[in-house]
Amino acid sequence: MAIELKPIRTEADYDEALAELGRLWGARSGTPDGDRLDVLATLIEAYEARIHPIDPPDPIEAILFRMEQRGLTRKDLEPLIGTRARVAEVLNRKRGLSIEMIRRLNEELGISADVLIRPSREDRAA
C-alpha cells in the first residue's frame, strides 16, 4: 500500500517515507512509481538537510584530504603556501591561510574557497 505523499515533519513520517522509498527502489523513470520515487526522494532529502545538516569540512582537513587523493607531499604545497616552514605552520594550525594561499589552493587543487575561508576547528574552539 502506497503512503500519502506529504511533507515529512516527524521521525515517524521519515521512517514511513524510507519504507516506501525501499518499496519503490528501482522503479523506472517516467512511470508513475518512478515519479513517486523522485518526489519521495526529494522530500526525504529536504527533511534530512533540515534535521541533520552537514557542516562543510575543516579547511586543513580538506587540504590533507586533497593531498591524499592526489598523492601530494608537503613539498608539493610549497608553491601554493610558501616555504617548508610556512606549510608546516599552516598544516599544524599555527598559522591561518592568507587570501593568496586560498586563491592558489582553490585554483591548483580545486578546493572550494568557501571551505578554505572557514576557520579551522582549533580556531573555532579558541
Side-chain angles (χ1 to χ4, degrees), residues 6 43 88:
K6 60 182 181 172
L43 291 170

Side-chain angles (χ1 to χ4, degrees), residues 88-101:
E89 289 173 342
V90 167
L91 295 182
N92 292 326
R93 301 172 194 270
K94 304 289 185 217
R95 175 185 291 271
L97 293 168
S98 71
I99 295 297
E100 283 308 309
M101 290 176 200

Side-chain angles (χ1 to χ4, degrees), residues 22-121:
R23 187 185 76 72
L24 293 170
W25 197 255
R28 286 181 129 336
S29 187
T31 66
D33 278 350
D35 291 346
R36 188 173 178 75
L37 176 67
D38 288 345
V39 170
L40 200 54
T42 301
L43 291 170
I44 289 169
E45 191 175 301
Y47 177 79
E48 289 174 343
R50 191 175 75 247
I51 301 302
H52 308 288
I54 298 172
D55 286 336
D58 174 81
I60 302 307
E61 290 170 15
I63 293 168
L64 294 171
F65 178 74
R66 189 55 51 95
M67 287 173 67
E68 183 179 326
Q69 277 184 322
R70 294 191 178 181
L72 301 174
T73 65
R74 287 179 173 225
K75 181 152 185 67
D76 296 323
L77 294 182
E78 290 178 18
L80 309 175
I81 294 178
T83 65
R84 181 173 53 157
R86 178 73 37 91
V87 171
E89 289 173 342
V90 167
L91 295 182
N92 292 326
R93 301 172 194 270
K94 304 289 185 217
R95 175 185 291 271
L97 293 168
S98 71
I99 295 297
E100 283 308 309
M101 290 176 200
I102 290 170
R103 283 189 182 123
R104 288 189 294 262
L105 289 164
N106 172 260
E107 289 171 11
E108 298 297 322
L109 299 184
I111 301 171
S112 167
D114 289 342
V115 168
L116 293 170
I117 63 171
R118 294 174 52 84
S120 73
R121 299 217 192 290

